Amino acid sequence: MKKILSFSALIFSMSFCFSQEQIIINDVPIIKYEVLEKKIQEEKNVLLVLNFWSTTCAPCVKELPDFMEINNKYKDNPKFKMLLVSLDRPKDKDRVVQFIKSKNLTAEVILLDDIKRMNTWIPQFEKNWDGNIPVTIVYKNSEKVHFNDGEMTKTELENVITKNL
């Protein structure tokens, strides 16, 4: 009987966690597409640099130091924000947290837990996005002003920011 109650409690707690829009683990929220969409819409009067990446993507990892340099340059500007959207699996969150610490990522990081619906949300961001990463999308006042499919250099990122800030 004790085992049945323990198992029931486990199932209930798991279903409660999965029913939430956002789960925060080690300060890295795990969210669905709709929550990310809301975050973008809430960033009024801000130039938002949104970078989709993964710890297992070599071009993503290669461009991150340049992104952090740019983020550190503009982080005190209230009209600028950088958000790194990890497409790692939620079960790999510990690796993501370790990666954030070891690479000294200074921008906000979220984990997007919506792999099963990629064909739904990817075209919502950009109809020409084929799903490869890295991808950088820049929003000004919640409106998309730039889409970059593939690795982005520091100069390219700086130019997009300067043009739109």
Side-chain angles (χ1 to χ4, degrees), residues 67-76 80 104 106-107:
F67 275 64
M68 290 311 94
E69 192 174 324
I70 298 292
N71 185 61
N72 291 337
K73 179 178 179 179
Y74 290 100
K75 70 181 178 184
D76 293 328
F80 174 83
N104 200 21
T106 57

Side-chain angles (χ1 to χ4, degrees), residues 47-132:
L47 185 70
L48 175 65
V49 175
L50 194 67
N51 180 259
F52 291 87
W53 67 287
S54 168
T55 59
T56 59
C57 163
C60 302
V61 172
K62 182 181 174 197
E63 74 179 2
L64 280 173
D66 290 339
F67 275 64
M68 290 311 94
E69 192 174 324
I70 298 292
N71 185 61
N72 291 337
K73 179 178 179 179
Y74 290 100
K75 70 181 178 184
D76 293 328
N77 186 331
K79 295 197 176 281
F80 174 83
K81 182 173 183 177
M82 186 177 287
L83 181 60
L84 303 177
V85 182
S86 171
L87 297 180
D88 288 278
R89 298 174 305 183
K91 73 179 194 173
D92 295 326
K93 69 187 174 304
D94 290 338
R95 180 177 62 213
V96 174
V97 170
Q98 276 307 115
F99 183 89
I100 292 166
K101 290 175 185 174
S102 72
K103 299 295 184 186
N104 200 21
L105 301 186
T106 57
E108 181 181 350
V109 178
I110 62 169
L111 230 146
L112 189 62
D113 180 20
D114 233 340
I115 291 176
K116 291 180 181 175
R117 298 189 308 156
M118 286 179 93
N119 292 335
T120 302
W121 60 260
I122 285 176
Q124 297 296 327
F125 283 107
E126 171 61 42
K127 64 181 184 318
N128 295 319
W129 182 11
D130 62 9
N132 289 333

